[in-house]
Amino acid sequence: MLSDNELNSWFRREVLILEPSLTAFLRRHCSQGDEVADLRQEVYEKALRGAGRGLPDRAAAYVFTIARNLLITRAKRARIVRFDFVADLERLSVHVDWLTPERRVSASQELARAREGLERLPPRCREVMRLRKVQGMKIREIADQLGIGIEAVEQHITRGTRLLASHMLDSALPPAAECAAIPVGKPREGV
């Protein structure tokens, strides 16, 4: 067990220097910017609590893994995960010894399930969802690129999100006719 002085010294020396990059990471992956300070504090609390049992070898990997896991937990609670969020988290190269094989398998299975759900959407709905959730395009840009109305894009996103959430929870998508029935509409001028 570490003394408070040793723990505080480690925290100042190894963790606080990560604050700018940790804040940027949380801001980039957090849907609500006003939560970043609270999330950062939660990461610090978990890091201190865990380090109290023994200092990690690689503080940066340890802190960013805590942040990543916290974001994943929050996303799971929301039941709907942005695909770009999951893809960014997958690219984050954090090598942590305590990330169990079971957790890695579970995360890989969930990502595969999300990809499967996306592939099972009707073609137009899948394309809209890909452009919005994976490419991060704005609704207006999607409407212009696909030559459809803004309302049609919004309907595809709403229904596609609901169908994907249903797939993630039940592994069965409702009938594809739901997305296919969305009117194309015309792009509005000057929007």
Side-chain angles (χ1 to χ4, degrees):
M1 196 82 165
L2 296 172
S3 72
D4 286 345
N5 285 340
E6 290 173 311
L7 191 58
N8 289 335
S9 176
W10 169 82
F11 186 80
R12 283 191 302 275
R13 186 180 63 252
E14 300 288 332
V15 177
L16 282 181
I17 65 168
L18 301 171
E19 187 164 316
S21 56
L22 176 62
T23 301
F25 173 78
L26 292 171
R27 189 171 288 126
R28 188 171 50 248
H29 296 292
C30 184
S31 60
Q32 297 182 358
D34 57 340
E35 291 184 0
V36 171
D38 291 337
L39 286 169
R40 187 178 56 230
Q41 281 306 115
E42 196 170 340
V43 169
Y44 288 162
E45 288 173 29
K46 289 179 182 289
L48 276 169
R49 207 174 314 123
R53 293 185 295 272
L55 296 179
D57 293 330
R58 297 181 310 269
Y62 178 67
V63 168
F64 278 92
T65 298
I66 291 170
R68 177 181 176 264
N69 290 342
L70 181 61
L71 289 166
I72 289 171
T73 300
R74 284 180 173 234
K76 283 181 179 180
R77 284 185 194 140
R79 296 275 193 207
I80 300 173
V81 180
R82 290 183 0 242
F83 288 103
D84 56 336
F85 172 80
V86 174
D88 284 348
L89 290 177
E90 258 201 353
R91 284 193 293 261
L92 180 63
S93 59
V94 176
H95 302 287
V96 178
D97 299 331
W98 53 267
L99 190 57
T100 65
E102 294 82 12
R103 290 178 83 182
R104 288 178 190 259
V105 168
S106 176
S108 293
Q109 288 172 341
E110 287 181 33
L111 183 58
R113 190 173 175 126
R115 286 182 178 146
E116 175 188 295
L118 186 61
E119 289 303 314
R120 292 178 64 193
L121 290 174
R124 176 63 71 153
C125 190
R126 179 176 52 240
E127 182 64 8
V128 168
M129 291 296 288
R130 186 187 65 76
L131 292 173
R132 179 70 173 157
K133 302 296 182 183
V134 178
Q135 300 298 321
M137 291 177 67
K138 295 179 180 172
I139 291 173
R140 173 88 231 155
E141 295 171 331
I142 296 168
D144 290 344
Q145 181 170 327
L146 298 179
I148 61 176
I150 291 173
E151 295 83 9
V153 172
E154 290 170 342
Q155 289 176 6
H156 278 298
I157 292 169
T158 299
R159 290 192 178 124
T161 301
R162 190 167 46 77
L163 291 170
L164 282 172
S166 174
H167 175 74
M168 294 299 291
L169 297 173
D170 304 326
S171 79
L173 287 173
E178 221 178 297
C179 284
I182 297 174
V184 173
K186 293 183 181 177
R188 287 190 280 167
E189 304 264 336
V191 176

